[in-house]
Amino acid sequence: MMSLAEQLTRQNIKGLVPYASARRSMSGGSIWLNANESPFANEYQLDCSVLNRYPDFQPAGLINAYADYAGVTNKQVLASRGADEAIELLIRTFCEDNESIMICPPTYGMYAISAETCNINTKKVPLNPDFSLNLAEMENNKADVKLVFICTPNNPTGSLISHQQIKAVLDMFKDKAIVAIDEAYIEFSPESTVASWINDYPNLAIMRTLSKAFALAGIRCGFTLANQNIIEAMSKVIPPYPISWPVAQIASQALSAQGISRMQTQLEQINEQKARIAQALTELDYIYEVLPSASNFIMFRTHAKKAIFDKLIEEGILIRDYSSQVMLDNSLRISVGSKEETDALLSVMQAFKA
Ligand SMILES: *Cc1c(COP(=O)(O)O)cnc(C)c1O
């Protein structure tokens, strides 16, 4: 019999398959290379003397620090519980019931899931085989679209969308829809940011996060960068105290000059391990393609995907299987970890016989 909760659940939620995050879908293992986290666990100071008080709506120290870091003004920043909350806020702020978001798969899964929880339709315009945008098809599917999500560097492919294509989409949806550029991995490809464009494009919003290069996935802190009018509209929808004091303190320390320089040092170490992994995978004969990556993860294709995936699990190493997604036949993704984690990963992969 259907439980009361099931009977009463909203229709669009009944059939919803929740996001299978790395942490939710896989347990165990001792080396986690499946969630694009940083391998570095850094130390922070916490002052607990004001925890009886509600935090500021948008803690000024944090907002100013992120605005400085991103090269925008403090009125062009909104802090949220991760970039994931920013995705949902954009949908709830801008999409009416009968309107759609547009996404370009293969891409990050949360855009479509967030839309579904809000009962908003998702129009999918797959990327071209070279992972560029299919602009002609985007144009053909423009009707009813209020929000376009573009991820660059793209998760899970690691590819970049050219500035020229981003401009074309901003123009295509001028006066019509918000174009949200997900820059979760931008520190790994800093020259690709479009943050300096927010003064020129009233329909541009950019998502950022401290979860990846800044090694703070555990605190849940992300940002939207956009012109003041977009930020004000989203500020109506975000809950009154989105950023807890402990989060504000830790995030502010991460964004101090010292914190940013530590992030850059760690980023260089990750890039070294990434180059090592890419080179090693290219030399393995059971792998037939290693995709170039502008990010902290590497996607590769192998006809032995299940065998190598299971072998790694057996050795306590978790990576991520994307092979059931459009255009990602036989594809597995490795998040780049520490030197020691890379040593362990490569020794298993090099000993493996398909
Ligand atoms: C990890 C990730 C996010 C989510 O970031 P949080 O700040 O941890 O919520 C958003 N977009 C992409 C593309 C990601 O890979």
Side-chain angles (χ1 to χ4, degrees):
M1 219 182 78
M2 214 190 276
S3 70
L4 178 64
E6 279 176 275
Q7 288 173 46
L8 301 182
T9 297
R10 279 174 64 184
Q11 213 53 45
N12 59 308
I13 304 297
K14 275 185 181 149
L16 177 76
V17 181
Y19 184 68
S21 70
R23 205 64 81 246
R24 205 158 156 178
S25 58
M26 292 186 79
S27 57
S30 50
I31 297 184
W32 292 349
L33 305 179
N34 59 348
N36 296 347
E37 296 150 327
S38 169
F40 300 104
N42 301 308
E43 298 284 336
Y44 293 92
Q45 307 298 317
L46 277 185
D47 168 9
C48 295
S49 65
V50 290
L51 297 186
N52 57 319
R53 301 296 175 190
Y54 282 111
D56 290 339
F57 168 58
Q58 291 282 293
L62 173 61
I63 296 299
N64 291 335
Y66 202 83
D68 279 356
Y69 167 71
V72 302
T73 73
N74 57 7
K75 297 205 162 27
Q76 297 172 326
V77 179
L78 183 74
S80 56
R81 289 166 293 186
D84 279 346
E85 185 176 37
I87 293 168
E88 187 187 296
L89 288 172
L90 283 163
I91 294 169
R92 290 169 56 211
T93 304
F94 292 106
C95 297
E96 305 273 4
D97 290 348
N98 53 355
E99 293 175 332
S100 305
I101 66 162
M102 179 181 282
I103 64 169
C104 302
T107 193
Y108 186 51
M110 276 306 292
Y111 313 132
I113 292 179
S114 264
E116 200 176 344
T117 64
C118 298
N119 215 5
I120 298 296
N121 185 44
T122 296
K123 287 194 172 170
K124 296 181 181 170
V125 179
L127 294 172
N128 291 317
D130 65 357
F131 298 138
S132 61
L133 298 173
N134 186 338
L135 294 172
E137 271 308 295
M138 291 176 81
E139 177 77 41
N140 290 341
N141 285 278
K142 247 167 61 168
D144 307 325
V145 171
K146 201 60 164 303
L147 182 56
V148 182
F149 285 103
I150 295 172
C151 189
T152 179
N154 187 34
N155 181 5
T157 56
S159 51
L160 288 167
I161 300 297
S162 71
H163 280 185
Q164 191 194 352
Q165 283 209 315
I166 296 175
K167 280 192 179 141
V169 176
L170 284 161
D171 288 334
M172 186 186 299
F173 288 93
K174 181 171 172 271
D175 303 325
K176 179 178 162 40
I178 303 289
V179 177
I181 307 293
D182 190 337
E183 293 191 343
Y185 299 95
I186 202 65
E187 283 81 7
F188 297 95
S189 205
E191 67 292 346
S192 303
T193 182
V194 293
S196 65
W197 300 8
I198 60 178
N199 295 313
D200 302 327
Y201 291 95
N203 61 337
L204 170 62
I206 297 167
M207 284 99 74
R208 295 282 191 89
T209 180
L210 299 186
S211 297
K212 308 285 162 52
F214 279 96
L216 283 174
I219 69 168
R220 315 302 305 121
C221 186
F223 301 91
T224 303
L225 311 176
N227 69 71
Q228 192 175 344
N229 300 320
I230 291 181
I231 298 299
E232 280 170 8
M234 293 171 74
S235 299
K236 293 184 182 176
V237 180
I238 196 170
Y241 309 109
I243 304 295
S244 73
W245 275 132
V247 168
Q249 289 179 46
I250 293 169
S252 301
Q253 288 164 42
L255 291 163
S256 66
Q258 235 181 339
I260 291 172
S261 119
R262 178 176 61 194
M263 179 275 286
Q264 267 149 1
T265 307
Q266 295 178 343
L267 187 137
E268 280 164 30
Q269 295 177 36
I270 292 169
N271 282 338
E272 271 172 41
Q273 298 312 312
K274 177 173 127 180
R276 248 185 98 196
I277 297 170
Q279 180 58 37
L281 297 194
T282 316
E283 290 164 7
L284 293 174
D285 54 13
Y286 61 91
I287 291 176
Y288 63 91
E289 189 180 7
V290 180
L291 299 181
S293 166
S295 192
N296 67 336
F297 51 83
I298 295 180
M299 188 81 117
F300 64 96
R301 298 188 205 256
T302 169
H303 292 298
K305 60 153 170 112
K306 183 159 171 21
I308 183 63
F309 187 81
D310 290 346
K311 176 66 188 164
L312 286 165
I313 291 184
E314 203 181 297
E315 302 291 335
I317 302 172
L318 307 185
I319 65 170
R320 196 142 186 187
D321 184 352
Y322 277 94
S323 59
S324 61
Q325 297 205 7
V326 268
M327 300 168 67
L328 297 181
D329 294 355
N330 301 320
S331 298
L332 301 175
R333 190 193 72 187
I334 298 174
S335 308
V336 178
S338 65
K339 172 166 189 313
E340 293 69 30
E341 290 170 330
T342 304
D343 292 345
L345 170 84
L346 294 183
S347 87
V348 175
M349 292 191 76
Q350 285 165 341
F352 176 80
K353 297 270 174 288

